Amino acid sequence: QSVLTQPPSASGTPGQTVTISCSGSSSNIGTNSVNWYQQLPGAAPKLLIFTNNQRPSGVPDRFSGSRSGTSASLAISGLQSEDEADYYCAAWDDSLNCGVFGGGTKLTVL
Amino acid sequence: EVQLLESGGGLVQSGGSLRLSCVTSGFTLSTFAMSWVRQAPGKGLEWVAVISRNGGTTYYADSVRGRFTISRDMSKSTVFLQMNSLRADDTATYFCAKDQTPGADNYGSGSYYYWGQGILVTVSS
């Protein structure tokens, strides 16, 4: 059972906008920054969003993040087939004194 | 160019020990916190441990606290993960990850832009 809760799956058709949610608590998302990662099969994770809504250089602006209270979300607009991957949210937890990841969301592009 | 290269994985019996190494290059180790993240076969990511940029602070996941130790050797630009009392549920690919924010103290910023390729640890029961 992950400390951060994500839906196990999401799907959309090319061009659509998909949103992935991440629910936490006051000790993690409610207090600390949320980061999002994309992982393709057999590859290391790739940082997509840091500090809730910042994109590293090279990440398309189709990807956006937001945080409100103890929840966060990742939106992917103009969905493309190459976006098919696993997505993870992450944050620091002040009560556990450790980093925590969501369980991951498998995105399927139909 | 930043590079992180893990080694030291392999097959070990339950109760045994392994030491993972992450050789770093392209940046100054004393400027960034460094972490280990693992992924069991077919499962999600699990944060394991972090060492602060000055090496004075470490944090661990509950699942490994007391069994794993993160450390570093500045002279070798290397971060280590000493894993003792290994259990079958420690079987995973272990990734070394570099914190994104230079100069961030304590656990860093918690965001990782650079990752190693991962090293497989298999614990047989």
Side-chain angles (χ1 to χ4, degrees):
Chain A
Q1 207 79 326
S2 301
V3 173
L4 304 182
T5 302
Q6 298 180 235
S9 63
S11 63
T13 55
Q16 274 191 331
T17 295
V18 169
T19 301
I20 297 172
S21 62
C22 176
S23 178
S25 68
S26 57
S27 62
N28 42 65
I29 294 178
T31 306
N32 298 305
S33 295
V34 178
N35 308 300
W36 289 90
Y37 297 90
Q38 176 194 62
Q39 188 178 34
L40 298 172
K46 172 187 175 182
L47 182 64
L48 270 186
I49 298 288
F50 65 97
T51 314
N52 306 319
N53 55 18
Q54 302 300 301
R55 280 186 310 275
S57 60
V59 173
D61 59 6
R62 302 187 295 106
F63 295 90
S64 62
S66 64
R67 181 186 71 166
S68 178
T70 59
S71 294
S73 62
L74 172 71
I76 308 172
S77 62
L79 201 61
Q80 300 179 3
S81 58
E82 68 221 46
D83 299 332
E84 193 161 282
D86 294 324
Y87 293 84
Y88 296 89
C89 58
W92 185 263
D93 191 295
D94 287 343
S95 292
L96 298 175
N97 262 335
C98 69
V100 289
F101 280 93
T105 298
K106 183 175 184 63
L107 175 64
T108 301
V109 180
L110 302 169
Chain B
E1 180 191 5
V2 172
Q3 290 192 327
L4 307 175
L5 185 62
E6 302 103 335
S7 63
L11 177 64
V12 62
Q13 285 193 329
S14 181
S17 298
L18 272 181
R19 187 176 82 157
L20 303 183
S21 299
C22 172
V23 177
T24 72
S25 60
F27 67 99
T28 302
L29 196 53
S30 62
T31 306
F32 296 89
M34 294 292 296
S35 295
W36 288 93
V37 175
R38 69 183 180 182
Q39 186 169 35
K43 303 297 184 183
L45 300 174
E46 180 185 13
W47 185 91
V48 174
V50 64
I51 185 166
S52 62
R53 66 180 185 90
N54 66 7
T57 303
T58 57
Y59 295 99
Y60 299 92
D62 281 348
S63 58
V64 307
R65 190 174 294 121
R67 300 187 300 123
F68 290 12
T69 302
I70 187 171
S71 63
R72 65 182 194 177
D73 184 332
M74 296 295 294
S75 68
K76 296 180 180 178
S77 299
T78 301
V79 180
F80 302 101
L81 186 67
Q82 177 67 43
M83 304 185 295
N84 299 331
S85 303
L86 283 161
R87 312 186 301 223
D89 61 359
D90 293 317
T91 294
T93 295
Y94 286 73
F95 296 97
C96 172
K98 170 186 167 292
D99 198 86
Q100 188 185 16
T101 304
D105 291 320
N106 211 5
Y107 62 83
S109 67
S111 60
Y112 315 119
Y113 185 83
Y114 289 101
W115 296 69
Q117 83 287 356
I119 191 82
L120 180 62
V121 171
T122 303
V123 183
S124 65
S125 53

